[in-house]
């Protein structure tokens, strides 16, 4: 079955600390993968996308993610957290056999001063 | 930068009433989608639309739901007889073409059924 798992519904880090949000997808065929961010009371904004061109993908706001086929993972990282990064983050694979994006349950990122 | 727009931003309706949620996708996009997010839950796919017909729909998208592209710019989601459990944020999205293209999301319409 096509699914995605985000470990940790809530992650809290200090300002300036490393951000690591975990995502694992389930599939025998690597899908296309996206990370979306949702700020409070706003819509979904694309952070970055993996479409098989490069395994390390850089996105907006200093975020990046690495596709690891052997681990079926696509974890999101940022070297130094900023207060403005506080939001909900969704890992979202798009499988070539379907047109729909499957959203993970989301990880709420909180930043401590 | 082109963006997907949605109207209204908030819709309040009584149970049993019909609602139409409107979306204007990005102009050169060919694929259109509706998703919903019940408060506190994850975003769920409802339906995708291409070439004036539904290409895929989820089990949520039952006979109470319908989609239409009435003209060259609008894409609508109609709920014929709303239920309390239809209360959610509804997101419209569009993509340029092909499954590898990212979907651009609108800001959403918050539907409250009372």
């Amino acid at each position: 079955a096509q699914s995605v798992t985000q470990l940790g519904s809530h992650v809290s880090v200090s300002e300036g600390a490393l951000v690591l949000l975990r995502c694992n997808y389930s599939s025998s065929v690597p899908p296309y993968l996206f990370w979306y961010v949702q700020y409070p009371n706003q819509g979904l904004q694309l952070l970055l996308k993996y479409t098989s061109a490069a395994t390390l993908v850089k996105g907006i706001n200093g975020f990046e993610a690495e596709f690891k086929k052997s681990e079926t993972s696509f974890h999101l990282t940022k070297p130094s957290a900023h207060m403005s990064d506080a939001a909900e983050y969704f890992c979202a694979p798009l499988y070539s056999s379907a047109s729909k994006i499957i959203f993970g349950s989301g990880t709420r990122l909180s930043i401590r001063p | 930068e082109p963006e997907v727009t949605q109207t209204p931003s908030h819709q309040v309706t009584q149970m049993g009433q019909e609602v139409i949620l409107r979306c204007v996708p990005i102009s050169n996009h060919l694929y259109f989608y509706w998703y919903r997010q019940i408060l506190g839950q994850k975003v769920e796919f409802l339906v995708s639309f291409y070439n004036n017909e539904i290409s895929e729909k989820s089990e949520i998208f039952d006979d109470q739901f319908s989609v239409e592209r009435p003209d060259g710019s609008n894409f609508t989601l109609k709920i014929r007889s709303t239920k309390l459990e239809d209360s959610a944020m509804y997101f419209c999205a569009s993509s340029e073409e092909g499954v590898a293209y990212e979907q651009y999301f609108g800001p959403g319409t918050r539907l409250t059924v009372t």
Side-chain angles (χ1 to χ4, degrees):
Chain A
Q2 300 165 346
S3 65
V4 56
T5 302
Q6 290 186 241
L7 288 175
S9 59
H10 185 204
V11 170
S12 180
V13 302
S14 298
E15 192 174 17
L18 171 72
V19 174
L20 171 61
L21 305 183
R22 298 178 187 275
C23 171
N24 288 89
Y25 62 92
S26 66
S27 174
S28 59
V29 178
Y32 303 105
L33 287 152
F34 307 100
W35 274 98
Y36 282 89
V37 60
Q38 185 179 32
Y39 297 102
N41 300 314
Q42 294 189 28
L44 297 157
Q45 182 181 4
L46 181 69
L47 264 183
L48 50 80
K49 63 177 180 179
Y50 166 76
T51 57
S52 75
T55 56
L56 182 63
V57 181
K58 294 187 184 298
I60 62 171
N61 301 337
F63 284 93
E64 62 182 38
E66 186 173 8
F67 174 75
K68 291 187 177 180
K69 182 179 177 181
S70 60
E71 299 176 8
T72 62
S73 69
F74 191 56
H75 301 329
L76 181 71
T77 60
K78 181 174 180 177
S80 177
H82 191 272
M83 295 300 290
S84 61
D85 295 327
E88 187 95 16
Y89 292 79
F90 295 94
C91 180
L94 190 156
Y95 291 86
S96 59
S97 61
S99 59
K100 61 178 184 278
I101 290 178
I102 299 173
F103 282 85
S105 53
T107 297
R108 181 169 300 279
L109 177 64
S110 299
I111 311 296
R112 302 187 300 270
Chain B
E1 184 178 330
E3 58 183 18
V4 176
T5 59
Q6 291 184 244
T7 55
S9 57
H10 190 192
Q11 173 93 45
V12 181
T13 189
Q14 289 190 324
M15 195 167 51
Q17 294 296 304
E18 174 184 288
V19 294
I20 297 176
L21 309 183
R22 302 181 191 280
C23 168
V24 179
I26 295 173
S27 61
N28 64 330
H29 285 187
L30 301 177
Y31 291 78
F32 314 112
Y33 313 84
W34 283 101
Y35 294 80
R36 79 171 186 190
Q37 184 181 32
I38 294 172
L39 187 64
Q41 298 185 24
K42 64 181 177 180
V43 179
E44 302 172 289
F45 168 80
L46 291 177
V47 66
S48 59
F49 190 86
Y50 171 72
N51 200 26
N52 283 319
E53 60 183 30
I54 291 174
S55 52
E56 186 173 358
K57 61 182 181 179
S58 72
E59 61 274 12
I60 302 169
F61 195 87
D62 60 22
D63 292 343
Q64 293 297 313
F65 291 88
S66 63
V67 289
E68 191 179 30
R69 189 156 162 81
D71 52 43
S73 59
N74 290 284
F75 180 52
T76 63
L77 173 69
K78 180 191 291 186
I79 309 175
R80 290 191 182 81
S81 179
T82 50
K83 307 182 186 70
L84 294 176
E85 54 264 36
D86 293 327
S87 295
M89 181 74 90
Y90 288 81
F91 292 106
C92 173
S94 68
S95 66
E96 196 169 339
E97 62 176 299
V99 295
Y101 285 81
E102 65 259 34
Q103 296 176 16
Y104 291 82
F105 284 78
T109 292
R110 181 168 297 284
L111 176 64
T112 302
V113 182
T114 62

